[in-house]
Amino acid sequence: GLDKIINSDPVAITFFIGYMAMFASAVFFLVERGSVDGKWKTSLLVSALITGIAAVHYYYMRDFYLETGQSPTAFRYVDWTLTVPLMCVEFYLLTKPFGAKGGTLFKLILASLVMLITGFIGETSGIENNIMWGILSTLGYLYIVYEVFAGDVAKLAKTSQSPALGKAMFLLKIFITLGWSIYPIGYMVLPGNLLSGAFEVSSIDLFYNLADAINKIGFGLVIYSVAIAESAKHR
Amino acid sequence: GLDKIINSDPVAITFFIGYMAMFASAVFFLVERGSVDGKWKTSLLVSALITGIAAVHYYYMRDFYLETGQSPTAFRYVDWTLTVPLMCVEFYLLTKPFGAKGGTLFKLILASLVMLITGFIGETSGIENNIMWGILSTLGYLYIVYEVFAGDVAKLAKTSQSPALGKAMFLLKIFITLGWSIYPIGYMVLPGNLLSGAFEVSSIDLFYNLADAINKIGFGLVIYSVAIAESAKHR
Ligand SMILES: CC1=C(/C=C/C(C)=C/C=C/C(C)=C/C=O)C(C)(C)CCC1
Ligand SMILES: CC1=C(/C=C/C(C)=C/C=C/C(C)=C/C=O)C(C)(C)CCC1
């Protein structure tokens, strides 16, 4: 029940903040969708879906955590299974005007599924194996980093003429390298992993909740500000 | 309750992913409906209804499965009884500009009802009879395949001049033959049927959930991309 949060449990508090922040962001992106030019509307809808889907799962995770005191691993991965591919769709929509191909989107989604499935096995497989699975998962992650820095996505970004879009692509790189790297750091606090002992086990959810807020809401806001800047040009 | 999902039961996890994916898709199709030309609006609304109806039934199926640990057969067929005829309506709307007739739609819906009623009897009739009912059901399915490849639907598709629509018709065939064939494969894991023993009984829902995601969301996205491509032409 709700009474448990008064024990000022920081993990519970971040689940509450996360839930409300995701919900409010979904409303924001959905309503502001009406104020941007046609081609940006889909991007803003996808941002609304990412944060809206997350709101539902934060609601479950919050309850699960309050009831059991445990990390809601399954819900976390259910959420990521839907929202990480949608983040890849955001990158695709951003670069599509410069000729991004469906094949690149497909490669990004495939890499993210590899990253998430191996990550989930790692989190549920116990002390002996989570380092090995974490390394496999990191390979999927590094492939995405590679695509954005040196692969198809990077090539397209160079051909862009719009300063607003150039800035968005620069920020995209920052999000993928710094923002996303908070997740594997969180994973490393699992018992038997590299940071185990340095933090409490329950702090895995502090890392994940922080990272989710930065990446889902923060990146959505970057897209939003490009959309507003580009839409103002044609007025 | 929600706590059962921590047993990292893959069937439960796919019900959660399925629920959220259907819900998010319904929102997507409904909102994006505003961005396509008039004649595509009905198709996008039907896609939203198919995934929206499915979201409600996934919500029921998820709870039923968590409570009882059993396959939610009745909910599944309640869902299909509504969504399969709506899929036929989608095929009809796609070919209507090329002269599709109401009679063809009627034949497709009739065949799908035969397929679903016999399939439901098969799933609930027990070990001795489910192969026989499965064969009857497959006749209904094969009739639909025939209509799309050699019957009325196929003839119309040939007369189409639009490359976007030609591609959609090609993908429609792939969905009907490959996408839909996942369902009978799932059915065959029933005790006493052809694949019984090769997979666990509970994997019937893994097959059905995967197939539903591909066919309901995937085909909706195909229609969406044709609608966007055709709408862009007239701008
Ligand atoms: C590398 C790595 C991981 C990466 C997770 C990431 C990068 C998740 C990103 C989630 C996002 C961006 C959600 C947004 O909606 C895991 C699975 C923790 C396992 C350990 C190794
Ligand atoms: C052939 C066959 C079956 C086919 C089921 C199909 C093809 C269902 C399609 C559902 C769709 C497309 C839903 C979309 O919204 C059954 C009934 C499993 C019984 C065994 C034989």
Side-chain angles (χ1 to χ4, degrees), chain B residues 45-130:
Chain B
L45 178 56
V46 175
S47 294
L49 292 179
I50 291 173
T51 46
I53 290 170
V56 174
H57 294 122
Y58 268 76
Y59 186 84
Y60 296 157
M61 289 197 281
R62 194 181 88 171
D63 275 10
F64 180 90
Y65 179 80
L66 288 179
E67 295 295 329
T68 68
Q70 292 185 331
S71 191
T73 310
F75 290 124
R76 183 74 75 181
Y77 280 84
V78 166
D79 180 68
W80 288 347
T81 304
L82 296 161
T83 54
V84 178
L86 285 175
M87 293 283 282
C88 298
V89 171
E90 285 283 38
F91 307 159
Y92 170 72
L93 291 174
L94 208 56
T95 45
K96 204 174 91 171
F98 311 96
K101 283 180 227 75
T104 309
L105 173 60
F106 182 76
K107 285 193 272 180
L108 291 177
I109 291 182
L110 210 68
S112 61
L113 289 179
V114 169
M115 171 181 96
L116 293 175
I117 292 168
T118 51
F120 181 68
I121 299 175
E123 291 211 28
T124 50
S125 69
I127 289 196
E128 300 86 33
N129 298 314
N130 68 35

Side-chain angles (χ1 to χ4, degrees), chain A residues 77 80 83-84 87 115 134 137-138 141 180 183-184 187 208 216:
Chain A
Y77 280 83
W80 288 347
T83 54
V84 178
M87 295 282 282
M115 172 181 96
S137 177
T138 304
Y141 172 46
W180 288 33
Y183 297 102
Y187 181 92
Y208 288 167
K216 292 183 212 237

Side-chain angles (χ1 to χ4, degrees), chain A residues 43-84:
Chain A
S43 298
L44 261 74
L45 177 56
V46 175
S47 295
L49 291 179
I50 291 173
T51 46
I53 290 170
V56 173
H57 294 122
Y58 268 77
Y59 185 84
Y60 296 157
M61 289 198 281
R62 195 181 84 171
D63 275 10
F64 180 90
Y65 179 79
L66 288 179
E67 294 295 329
T68 67
Q70 293 186 331
S71 191
T73 309
F75 291 123
R76 183 76 74 183
Y77 280 83
V78 165
D79 180 66
W80 288 347
T81 304
L82 295 161
T83 54
V84 178

Side-chain angles (χ1 to χ4, degrees), chain B residues 77 80 83-84 87 115 119 134 137-138 141 180 183-184 187 208 212 216:
Chain B
Y77 280 84
W80 288 347
T83 54
V84 178
M87 293 283 282
M115 171 181 96
S137 177
T138 303
Y141 171 47
W180 287 33
Y183 297 102
Y187 181 91
Y208 289 167
D212 268 359
K216 292 181 209 230

Side-chain angles (χ1 to χ4, degrees), chain A residues 30 33 41-42 45-46 49 52-53 56-57 60 63-64 68 70-72 74-75 77-78 81-82 96 120 124, chain B residues 2-6 8 13 16-17 19-21 23-25 27-29 31-35 59 62 224 228:
Chain A
L30 205 58
R33 178 179 180 278
K41 287 191 191 299
T42 315
L45 177 56
V46 175
L49 291 179
I53 290 170
V56 173
H57 294 122
Y60 296 157
D63 275 10
F64 180 90
T68 67
Q70 293 186 331
S71 191
F75 291 123
Y77 280 83
V78 165
T81 304
L82 295 161
K96 206 174 91 169
F120 180 69
T124 50
Chain B
L2 290 185
D3 52 309
K4 301 228 180 86
I5 198 183
I6 47 154
S8 60
I13 290 178
F16 272 84
I17 296 177
Y19 165 65
M20 204 64 242
F23 192 91
S25 304
V27 172
F28 180 83
F29 294 129
V31 174
E32 285 290 304
R33 179 178 179 277
S35 306
Y59 186 84
R62 194 181 88 171
Y224 169 71
I228 289 289

Side-chain angles (χ1 to χ4, degrees), chain A residues 2-54:
Chain A
L2 289 185
D3 52 310
K4 301 224 182 91
I5 197 185
I6 49 157
N7 306 325
S8 62
D9 171 345
V11 178
I13 290 177
T14 60
F15 276 123
F16 273 82
I17 297 177
Y19 165 64
M20 207 63 240
M22 295 297 171
F23 192 94
S25 306
V27 172
F28 179 83
F29 294 130
L30 205 58
V31 174
E32 285 290 308
R33 178 179 180 278
S35 307
V36 297
D37 276 359
K39 61 176 175 175
W40 292 103
K41 287 191 191 299
T42 315
S43 298
L44 261 74
L45 177 56
V46 175
S47 295
L49 291 179
I50 291 173
T51 46
I53 290 170

